[in-house]
Amino acid sequence: MPNTIPYLQFNGNTREALDFYAKAFGATPKMVQTYSEMGDSRGDQALAKRIVHARLEKDNIELLYFSDSYVDEPLVIGNTHSIAFMFDDEAALKTTYDILKNGGQVSIELQEMPWGGVYAKVTDKLGIEWQLNWQKS
């Protein structure tokens, strides 16, 4: 079944936020990966240590996703969060992607990713940022 998960973005303090929200919700951090672990540090030592993706789970339910921005990517009110939508099948993902990108702006083209998913990141014409993912079996 498709579901949505709030995706919170920070400027280098994701670990602090992850710990804070874990305590607040009695949840457990999962799948904490740095930019260097994903091979995307761009040779920058500060970026290498930042978190590219982390999950907060409770009772096997994913509550929140987290990441740090790139070092040279400023965060302003309005781009500190997005909505991650998980699809049941690739066809539904492609249909939604095509609709959302029409009049919007694509940050990451629809493509296969190292974690075994098909993924895209797009801001729709209304200014909402979506992270679309279908996880292959």
Side-chain angles (χ1 to χ4, degrees):
M1 168 179 273
N3 65 324
T4 57
I5 299 170
Y7 208 121
L8 307 177
Q9 191 168 19
F10 298 89
N11 190 13
N13 61 331
T14 291
R15 288 184 196 279
E16 175 187 349
L18 189 59
D19 292 341
F20 174 74
Y21 290 116
K23 183 177 180 181
F25 294 106
T28 304
K30 300 278 186 168
M31 197 177 160
V32 180
Q33 297 174 308
T34 64
Y35 278 92
S36 65
E37 291 169 335
M38 288 296 287
D40 190 18
S41 66
R42 302 178 181 186
D44 184 318
Q45 292 301 316
L47 179 60
K49 295 176 185 174
R50 287 184 175 211
I51 294 174
V52 68
H53 181 73
R55 296 177 181 170
L56 195 60
E57 296 181 9
K58 183 174 183 173
D59 301 325
N60 293 318
I61 297 173
E62 295 176 336
L63 302 176
L64 296 168
Y65 287 172
F66 298 81
S67 71
D68 279 315
S69 63
Y70 286 109
V71 175
D72 59 353
E73 181 181 79
L75 292 178
V76 295
I77 299 302
N79 76 347
T80 58
H81 61 279
S82 61
I83 300 172
F85 196 98
M86 307 302 146
F87 289 84
D88 285 339
D89 63 78
E90 188 172 12
L93 165 61
K94 288 180 180 179
T95 298
T96 300
Y97 171 73
D98 288 339
I99 292 168
L100 292 176
K101 76 176 186 175
N102 186 16
Q105 182 177 0
V106 175
S107 301
I108 300 175
E109 293 286 341
L110 188 63
Q111 60 187 287
E112 291 190 20
M113 300 304 275
W115 60 81
V118 177
Y119 175 85
K121 186 174 181 181
V122 59
T123 302
D124 67 26
K125 66 183 180 181
L126 301 172
I128 305 300
E129 184 178 81
W130 297 91
Q131 297 193 52
L132 310 173
N133 190 72
W134 168 65
Q135 194 65 36
K136 295 179 181 182
S137 299

